[in-house]
Amino acid sequence: MTSPALRRTAPPARRSRARALVAGAALLALAPLHPPAQAGPADPAPPAAEPAGAGRWSDTPHGFASLGGGTRGGAGGAVVTVSDTASLARYAAAEEPYVIRVSGTVTVAPFGTEIRVASRKTIVGVGDTAELVHGGLYLAPGTHDVIIRNLTIRDTAVAGDRDCKTTDHDGIQMDSVHHVWIDHNRFARICDGQLDIRKDSDFVTVSYNRFEDNNKTFGIGWTPNVRTRITIDHNLFAGTKQRNPSVDNAAQAHLYNNHLTAQKDPADPVWTYGNWSRGRTRMVIENSFYEDVQHPYQADATAELVQRGSILRNTSGRHDTRGTAFDPRGFYAYRLDPAAAVPALVGRFSGPQRAIGHRAGDTGRPAGGVLPQVTGP
């Protein structure tokens, strides 16, 4: 056996290369790759080669959206590709199920219009360039089985109305719905809420989204009933002031592996904050990463909040924990990433992805079959 004193050490350059190879292998090993791409005739060409680690996410809803029968979106319906407001609105509001693939930029008019989305719909951007500009989406009470993925929703903010006192142009708003998955979207400059999950909504998962450059960002609640069950994971909150999210009267709110950073107005002593467990909410936060955040997590006296495994850098104000909340693993299985890896993982894999929208599994159907294509309107 070689003596420790005689053990050879690799040169610095070789050690650096070795560390890079190990790090790359770790990212690639995080999840299996997607099935092969299947693009429709009217779609942009899929990428010739997927970026490393594109299998990091799943095309199947997880968390609370996977319970109670699961969230199927438009599975079983025709697949349509749209590139204008009229076509998107027509298929989104239809009674029958649809998988609606959005190609390119859809500029919504009149400004601030929220397009109604009925039950049994999947709306998915084709690649990373699909956008809704100057408008949003609305799910009315009773709506169920909706998947919204891989879109940028932006620019309904009104100059001079920072607090949105005269407007209510949400990015996505839903009232008393169930079985909804919001995944891999980007929200920017919305007035008022980028994502509002209201009233008695249930079985919801919000994953791998980017919430950027906003005031009132992500609100949950507006109900006296304690019913909502929601999973919030691998999201980026950057340059957002408040409601990151604010969770009011949720039965179970599970937040894990989220990255909160660079608050828009950290000097505000009250209304700049990260996660807020309000009313009778039971909240569990795990392995998240907070940096340059005021009041990273807080809880009302009537609420419960358990935090474990998170990393805090340059945070101030309230860091409340109280009660026992609940055990998420009593509801579903999940894998926690290390908190130290969250900024890199969320920075790379959140928001719209070039590899999503080209294949069967992205549409809410099981992967493996060739999908019929219909080009709208």
Side-chain angles (χ1 to χ4, degrees), residues 361-375:
D362 299 334
T363 64
R365 290 184 174 191
V370 176
L371 297 173
Q373 299 294 320
V374 181
T375 300

Side-chain angles (χ1 to χ4, degrees), residues 34-327:
H34 286 304
Q38 297 171 350
D43 299 330
E50 294 183 355
R56 179 65 182 81
W57 59 84
S58 170
D59 293 319
T60 302
H62 60 279
F64 279 112
S66 69
L67 304 183
T71 301
R72 292 175 50 79
V79 180
V80 298
T81 301
V82 303
S83 57
D84 62 273
T85 303
S87 299
L88 175 58
R90 170 189 170 190
Y91 290 113
E95 292 186 6
E96 59 268 35
Y98 276 106
V99 174
I100 305 165
R101 309 167 82 207
V102 179
S103 178
T105 297
V106 175
T107 302
V108 179
F111 182 92
T113 298
E114 294 177 13
I115 296 170
R116 181 164 178 170
V117 181
S119 298
R120 298 178 299 157
K121 301 294 182 295
T122 294
I123 301 176
V124 58
V126 179
D128 58 2
T129 60
E131 298 185 304
L132 294 185
V133 181
H134 299 165
L137 302 171
Y138 174 63
L139 283 61
T143 302
H144 59 89
D145 284 296
V146 173
I147 296 172
I148 301 172
R149 301 188 77 199
N150 217 48
L151 295 173
T152 290
I153 302 176
R154 63 174 176 88
D155 291 315
T156 60
V158 177
D161 190 14
R162 170 71 172 161
D163 287 331
C164 305
K165 297 297 186 183
T166 62
T167 57
D168 187 17
H169 303 326
D170 292 336
I172 301 175
Q173 182 186 115
M174 58 191 81
D175 292 331
S176 300
V177 304
H178 64 91
H179 290 96
V180 176
W181 185 29
I182 307 298
D183 178 72
H184 276 100
N185 302 290
R186 173 179 174 256
F187 301 86
R189 298 175 298 279
I190 299 294
C191 197
D192 100 310
Q194 293 188 327
L195 175 59
D196 279 356
I197 298 174
R198 312 192 325 164
K199 310 294 176 63
D200 297 325
S201 297
D202 200 6
F203 293 118
V204 179
T205 295
V206 178
S207 54
Y208 287 95
N209 300 284
R210 302 178 73 93
F211 298 92
E212 300 173 337
D213 192 17
N214 217 69
N215 181 7
K216 301 174 181 177
T217 305
F218 178 6
I220 303 165
W222 293 276
T223 174
N225 302 317
V226 183
R227 181 174 301 170
T228 299
R229 288 163 283 189
I230 186 167
T231 301
I232 302 166
D233 70 280
H234 293 92
N235 300 285
L236 172 69
F237 297 83
T240 54
K241 181 180 178 183
Q242 58 181 309
R243 302 183 184 175
N244 295 299
S246 167
V247 186
D248 183 38
N249 285 340
Q252 285 93 27
H254 183 203
L255 288 63
Y256 68 94
N257 288 148
N258 297 297
H259 184 199
L260 285 75
T261 184
Q263 282 179 321
K264 197 70 172 181
D265 189 5
D268 187 329
V270 176
W271 298 110
T272 302
Y273 61 88
N275 311 140
W276 194 342
S277 181
R278 309 179 73 160
R280 290 181 287 163
T281 291
R282 289 179 289 172
M283 177 183 289
V284 173
I285 300 171
E286 297 182 286
N287 289 27
S288 291
F289 197 103
Y290 302 82
E291 57 182 334
D292 304 318
V293 175
Q294 178 175 268
H295 309 311
Y297 43 85
Q298 58 186 311
D300 290 352
T302 53
E304 298 185 19
L305 190 156
V306 169
Q307 189 288 126
R308 50 181 172 254
S310 298
I311 291 176
L312 297 99
R313 291 185 179 170
N314 192 32
T315 62
S316 61
R318 295 175 62 175
H319 300 68
D320 301 343
T321 59
R322 57 170 51 91
T324 58
F326 65 101
D327 178 9

Side-chain angles (χ1 to χ4, degrees), residues 6-32:
L6 299 177
R7 190 172 296 146
R8 298 183 63 184
T9 302
R14 190 177 300 168
R15 290 201 304 269
S16 297
R17 287 194 296 270
R19 284 195 295 267
L21 288 171
V22 170
L27 277 174
L28 287 170
L30 286 170

